[in-house]
Amino acid sequence: MIAVVVAALLAAHPLGDFSVNHFDGLTVRPDRIEDVAIVDSAEIPTLRRSVSGDHGRYARGACARLRDDIRAQVDGRALAWQVAGASFGYQPGAAGLRTSRLTCRLTAPLRIDRRRTLTFANAHESGAPGWREITAGGEGVRISASSVPSVSRSGGLRDYPADLLSSPLDVRRAEVTVEPGSGGTGAAVNVPGVDVITRATGVLAGRLNALVGADRLTVPVGLLALLLSLLLGAAHAALPGHGKTVMAAYLAGRRSRLRDAATVALTVTATHTAGVLVLGTLITVTTSLAGDVVLGWLGMLGGLIIALIGANLLRAALRDHGHGHGHGHGHGHGHGHGHGHGHGHGHGHGHGHGHGHGHEWRSGGVVALAVAGGLVPSPSALVVLLGAMALGRTWFGVVTVVCYGAGMAATLLTAALALRRLGDLTLTTRLRRLRPYTAIMTAALILVVGIGVTLRAVAELA
């Protein structure tokens, strides 16, 4: 079992299950330029483009398409690339799925008899997320200036940084100055790391993929996989950028009943599970669906829902706050003039009517926020489902995804209870004075988070 887990940790794609990663290794020689172009596709893109039959024929066609997407010039003159070699193959990936690797060897005539300036750009599959890297070196010529390094940071897409990059390299253009001679320089490259929570989540996902993809699914293995799925869902809900934890603040701010908390738990679990099942099914039956784009649009929709709810809650909170002050003033005035009974009765009737509408809106807000929180399927849960489906264990994949959603809901409820407990610990008079403004602050927080989630999704789609 330990060997299976370790193997899956090494096999799981570090750049994400939707990534399509590109590398161009340029080598300038006295009479030509060569490009070793590699496309490393993660599990889901590989599943969508499954190749049957002659891999060599597919590789030659794919390399021809890649060649046509390259734009390279020397001193303003376009280079004429030719495909000198092509290969394609699969490697084991996460949850029993596969990753794929396309290698294209391209060459173009180029005479280095004087100082020349080379510009290079690869627009192949430019919209796909992933790592993009270019290197440039010389053999028999001198690289006097270069915007890219001479050594690959990823080992030609074989040795990605061990800490699972959250912000991968995105180098799509290179400019190189080359001249007769030998030696040269290369640019340095800085690669960011990831935080501890993201790294721990990656380890959990790797272990879950190992269990789902195990050759034999026993009862202990299945139970351990469900437990890991529960933990992974709980960790996913705690990560920033999803807008889920804002629901905890909403529940705490409303001082919600147990029924509201249960509604959130069930709605988040149901929405997330349905989203994973629908997207997973669509990916398996069509090759034209870009799953990462769907996730981006769902993220934007969820952010807009959260922002809309926040705006309406803020408007209602401001109205209720002002109305409360007006009611206090009117009651005192009426009582002092001897007309308090009649005025108070009429005012109380109107207030009760408005409160009924407000309660109805807030109850609907709980459901809408829960739908927005579970609307974006987690890529790790999606890979688990697809892996289980590929192994003929669809039922197990569905149960695992349900546990994932339940873990998300558990995090939200725990956070809501913790925030509510903190709200009860009003240690100072100054903190007590903030109580009348709790609904306003909570609504403003929801609005800001909704706007932030929307903008982040728009940026990823751009």
Side-chain angles (χ1 to χ4, degrees):
M1 175 59 63
I2 295 178
V4 173
V5 172
V6 173
L9 284 173
L10 294 176
H13 205 290
L15 268 299
D17 311 305
F18 281 103
S19 65
V20 179
N21 309 285
H22 298 260
F23 169 76
D24 288 281
L26 305 178
T27 302
V28 184
R29 303 180 187 275
D31 61 344
R32 66 187 185 278
I33 179 173
E34 298 172 348
D35 177 22
V36 177
I38 300 173
V39 180
D40 174 29
S41 299
E43 289 85 355
I44 293 179
T46 298
L47 180 66
R48 291 175 52 236
R49 305 172 185 174
S50 180
V51 178
S52 59
D54 188 353
H55 286 187
R57 180 179 180 181
Y58 169 80
R60 289 189 293 272
C63 288
R65 292 188 292 272
L66 184 148
R67 173 201 61 196
D68 295 340
D69 290 334
I70 290 178
R71 301 292 179 265
Q73 295 182 334
V74 173
D75 296 335
R77 178 177 58 86
L79 292 173
W81 293 97
Q82 298 295 327
V83 178
S87 63
F88 177 83
Y90 290 109
Q91 294 85 37
L97 300 177
R98 300 180 295 181
T99 63
S100 61
R101 185 178 179 90
L102 172 70
T103 302
C104 306
R105 300 186 180 278
L106 310 177
T107 183
L110 173 62
R111 184 175 180 83
I112 306 300
D113 53 357
R114 57 184 175 84
R115 184 185 181 94
R116 294 185 179 275
T117 300
L118 166 69
T119 59
F120 177 91
N122 188 345
H124 187 61
E125 298 183 343
S126 58
W131 177 286
R132 285 183 174 268
E133 182 180 14
I134 301 175
T135 63
E139 291 191 9
V141 298
R142 171 180 169 77
I143 304 293
S144 57
S146 175
S147 64
V148 295
S150 59
V151 178
S152 171
R153 181 65 178 82
S154 66
L157 306 185
R158 289 193 181 278
D159 186 19
Y160 293 101
D163 55 355
L164 306 182
L165 300 178
S166 60
S167 300
L169 288 181
D170 189 19
V171 181
R172 300 169 185 251
R173 296 180 57 85
E175 184 170 331
V176 180
T177 301
V178 59
E179 57 190 36
S182 60
T185 60
V189 57
N190 296 318
V191 182
V194 297
D195 57 87
V196 175
I197 296 179
T198 304
R199 188 181 300 114
T201 303
V203 172
L204 282 177
R207 297 193 179 213
L208 177 60
N209 291 333
L211 297 174
V212 173
D215 293 335
R216 185 181 177 189
L217 184 60
T218 62
V219 173
V221 169
L223 292 177
L224 182 56
L226 297 181
L227 176 61
L228 287 178
S229 182
L230 192 71
L231 294 175
L232 193 60
H236 178 73
L239 290 175
H242 300 286
K244 299 179 181 65
T245 50
V246 75
M247 284 185 289
Y250 178 51
L251 291 172
R254 288 188 56 207
R255 307 195 59 78
S256 302
R257 298 165 296 177
L258 180 60
R259 186 177 68 181
D260 295 324
T263 299
V264 167
L266 292 175
T267 305
V268 168
T269 302
T271 305
H272 182 265
T273 302
V276 173
L277 294 177
V278 171
L279 185 56
T281 302
L282 291 176
I283 288 176
T284 58
V285 300
T286 178
T287 60
S288 60
L289 180 69
D292 55 306
V293 176
V294 174
L295 292 180
W297 282 104
L298 289 176
M300 186 173 67
L301 177 60
L304 289 174
I305 293 174
I306 294 172
L308 179 61
I309 292 172
N312 279 278
L313 288 175
L314 182 59
R315 182 180 61 182
L318 290 173
R319 183 181 64 244
D320 292 346
H321 184 73
H323 186 68
H325 279 292
H327 171 65
H329 176 74
H331 179 76
H333 180 76
H335 186 75
H337 283 78
H339 301 288
H341 177 73
H343 181 74
H345 177 74
H347 182 73
H349 176 73
H351 177 70
H353 179 72
H355 178 73
H357 284 290
H359 178 72
E360 180 182 349
W361 159 248
R362 291 180 177 91
S363 298
V366 169
V367 176
L369 270 180
V371 169
L375 191 61
V376 181
S378 167
S380 54
L382 185 59
V383 166
V384 167
L385 176 65
L386 293 174
M389 293 172 65
L391 295 173
R393 302 167 181 168
T394 302
W395 65 270
F396 180 66
V398 173
V399 174
T400 304
V401 172
V402 171
C403 288
Y404 194 102
M408 292 168 50
T411 294
L412 299 179
L413 296 182
T414 301
L417 292 175
L419 289 174
R420 183 170 180 174
R421 179 60 178 166
L422 289 175
D424 293 336
L425 298 177
T426 50
L427 301 179
T428 66
T429 303
R430 184 172 299 177
L431 289 177
R432 290 191 185 98
R433 292 174 181 173
L434 295 178
R435 279 187 171 180
Y437 304 97
T438 300
I440 296 176
M441 292 187 294
T442 301
L445 173 63
I446 294 173
L447 176 60
V448 170
V449 171
I451 293 174
V453 172
T454 303
L455 293 178
R456 177 175 176 176
V458 171
E460 292 177 351
L461 287 171

